[in-house]
Amino acid sequence: MFKSLNFKVILFGFIFTFFSSFGQSFFLGLFNSSIRDALSITHGQFGSIYASATLLSSFILVWVGKKIDDFNILKFASYVIALLAISCFLFSKISSVAFLFLSIFLMRLSGQGLMSHTATTTISRFFEKTRGRALSTTWLGLSLAEFILPLLIIFLLTFIDWRNIWIAISISVIIILPIVIVTLVKNVKLDSRETSIATNIKTKDIKQWTRGEVLKDYRFYIICLSMLAMPWIATGTFVYQSFIVSSKGWGPYVIAQSFMVYSILSVITLFLTGFLIDKFSSRKLIIYMNIPLLVATFVLYYFNSPISSFVFLGLIGISNGLANVLGSATWAEIYGVRYIGSIKALTTALMVFSTAFGTALFGILIDNSLSIEQIALVSGSYILIAILLLFLVKNKLNPDYL
């Protein structure tokens, strides 16, 4: 399907999304209890620190992420790798609330923010005809991490101090990733494009929107409402998985095991979504993105059996698979790829901001004695409103042609 350079760029994206997992909420949430015990803080306090640090990282990401339009990928990725390695090491040294804030800020900026931003921006710009399949393959890296890391970390925490785990992660980042970028994307420039005989997408005929122009387009905000549902709801779920487990009376391994179903369905959906985007376009698929997530909130609200955990996270996995690919392809289809780094820096920052919002909201609701069922009802209401608004503009999502 892909020629040599095409394959290298996809492998680069795959590895970078895998390593972005160290800054993702599902991974950091695994250390929630250990950190709270070490610092003697509550769920709500942890949530507030997590949310405020994430919020700050989203503001910084708007500016830093924009620079990917100005540097070649090798140089930009080198900076991101260095920041991620430093962030992981600092995370192992958390000894106070202030240090916790700094560590989470750096992990969210470098891991969830810049690692995924670097991968998806490179893929979105480099690929045209096969963008959907390329993005879906790239996001398999994160799905693989979500599949193997929760159970692995829970197992390691039974006999290894959590600080030593983070030191090992830092070492792996600084050893593996420099080799990856030199081997795979050394020759990729800003104007490099996929090798193909022909392409059905004539990007020169599509208006190339600047970030300022995008901010004046009402469609951008309606699409964002839907795209931000998955990040804040899933983040709240992942960060407070221990609260959900205790509320529902599930065993300690139920959520971790359910992540395997989440990952499997994410992978299946990623593959299907990639092919569907290349065939029908992401603009026609985005309306369906959050329907599984809406059903997931109903499952969490209504059912208490441990089996419902697998159904709940499985449905989130389906929406996650859709959202990961659609979240990058949609912007490139509507607004072009010339300024895609700048645009995606903004949308990635908004995504990170929404995770901060979800963490803070879940923490506040929990501290105010709301049940997980009531929280599910709040989440479902937001999703339904976002779907209805997107439905109203679904026929107005075409690009402007020159």
Side-chain angles (χ1 to χ4, degrees):
M1 179 175 69
F2 299 110
K3 297 183 182 295
S4 178
L5 183 58
N6 299 14
F7 173 77
K8 287 184 177 180
V9 175
I10 288 175
L11 183 58
F12 161 79
F14 177 94
I15 294 172
F16 260 53
T17 57
F18 180 94
F19 275 79
S20 77
S21 63
F22 300 132
Q24 300 282 355
S25 295
F26 86 89
F27 189 81
L28 297 177
L30 297 170
F31 299 89
N32 184 324
S33 296
S34 299
I35 293 171
R36 284 191 295 104
D37 290 343
L39 301 182
S40 299
I41 57 177
T42 67
H43 281 292
Q45 289 172 325
F46 180 86
S48 297
I49 295 167
Y50 191 95
S52 55
T54 299
L55 183 62
L56 179 60
S57 74
S58 71
F59 290 140
I60 301 299
L61 185 60
V62 174
W63 175 74
V64 177
K66 183 178 184 293
K67 300 299 180 181
I68 198 172
D69 286 336
D70 303 325
F71 296 101
N72 67 57
I73 302 306
L74 182 66
K75 187 174 183 180
F76 188 84
S78 298
Y79 293 138
V80 174
I81 292 168
L83 183 60
L84 179 64
I86 293 169
S87 303
C88 292
F89 179 76
L90 289 178
F91 211 86
S92 71
K93 302 300 180 181
I94 293 173
S95 57
S96 66
V97 168
F99 213 111
L100 174 62
F101 176 89
L102 175 63
S103 300
I104 292 177
F105 160 70
L106 290 173
M107 283 306 307
R108 300 292 275 162
L109 175 62
S110 60
Q112 183 192 35
L114 288 172
M115 287 293 289
S116 60
H117 175 64
T118 302
T120 57
T121 299
T122 302
I123 296 294
S124 296
R125 179 183 283 128
F126 185 82
F127 290 92
E128 297 174 321
K129 183 179 179 181
T130 55
R131 181 181 290 131
R133 280 170 285 174
L135 283 167
S136 64
T137 306
T138 292
W139 279 112
L140 289 176
L142 181 59
S143 295
L144 177 63
E146 290 168 337
F147 183 81
I148 64 175
L149 292 182
L151 279 177
L152 175 61
I153 294 301
I154 287 177
F155 171 70
L156 292 176
L157 284 172
T158 60
F159 61 92
I160 299 178
D161 183 74
W162 64 276
R163 299 178 189 276
N164 292 332
I165 293 176
W166 279 102
I167 292 175
I169 292 172
S170 178
I171 294 171
S172 68
V173 168
I174 206 65
I175 290 176
I176 297 172
L177 292 185
I179 298 173
V180 168
I181 60 172
V182 171
T183 304
L184 301 179
V185 293
K186 182 178 180 180
N187 298 318
V188 175
K189 311 299 181 184
L190 292 176
D191 59 351
S192 299
R193 298 291 182 268
E194 68 176 306
T195 305
S196 59
I197 297 175
T199 178
N200 295 326
I201 302 175
K202 300 177 180 179
T203 54
K204 291 183 179 179
D205 294 335
I206 297 175
K207 177 184 176 181
Q208 305 294 305
W209 295 60
T210 65
R211 188 159 75 182
E213 291 172 326
V214 168
L215 287 171
K216 298 175 183 177
D217 184 15
Y218 74 94
R219 299 175 301 174
F220 173 76
Y221 299 98
I222 294 177
I223 295 171
C224 278
L225 270 178
S226 281
M227 287 194 173
L228 297 181
M230 176 70 194
W232 78 260
I233 293 170
T235 298
T237 299
F238 298 158
V239 172
Y240 295 104
Q241 54 188 270
S242 58
F243 172 76
I244 297 175
V245 168
S246 61
S247 297
K248 294 290 188 179
W250 299 336
Y253 284 94
V254 170
I255 287 282
Q257 291 170 338
S258 299
F259 265 113
M260 299 179 74
V261 177
Y262 165 89
S263 300
I264 291 170
L265 291 179
S266 288
V267 169
I268 294 172
T269 309
L270 280 171
F271 273 120
L272 291 176
T273 304
F275 281 98
L276 290 173
I277 285 176
D278 292 338
K279 185 174 179 62
F280 298 108
S281 84
S282 62
R283 305 187 303 278
K284 295 181 180 178
L285 298 176
I286 195 171
I287 189 70
Y288 306 105
M289 179 175 64
N290 286 328
I291 292 177
L293 186 61
L294 179 62
V295 178
T297 61
F298 171 78
V299 171
L300 188 62
Y301 175 82
Y302 194 77
F303 297 99
N304 294 316
S305 168
I307 296 175
S308 64
S309 172
F310 294 86
V311 178
F312 170 64
L313 277 174
L315 288 166
I316 292 180
I318 295 173
S319 273
N320 180 64
L322 288 165
N324 281 340
V325 186
L326 291 172
S328 297
T330 301
W331 306 124
E333 285 185 18
I334 298 177
Y335 299 123
V337 298
R338 173 62 185 85
Y339 304 102
I340 191 65
S342 178
I343 295 167
K344 281 197 86 295
L346 174 61
T347 58
T348 303
L350 288 172
M351 179 269 293
V352 175
F353 171 82
S354 72
T355 63
F357 170 79
T359 306
L361 180 62
F362 270 61
I364 291 170
L365 295 179
I366 291 170
D367 280 359
N368 282 276
S369 301
L370 267 72
S371 67
I372 190 59
E373 289 77 18
Q374 291 171 314
I375 294 174
L377 188 61
V378 171
S379 303
S381 299
Y382 174 95
I383 298 167
L384 184 60
I385 293 170
I387 291 175
L388 291 175
L389 287 173
L390 189 59
F391 180 81
L392 294 176
V393 300
K394 66 183 179 69
N395 294 323
K396 300 179 180 179
L397 300 180
N398 295 317
D400 290 343
Y401 293 95
L402 300 176

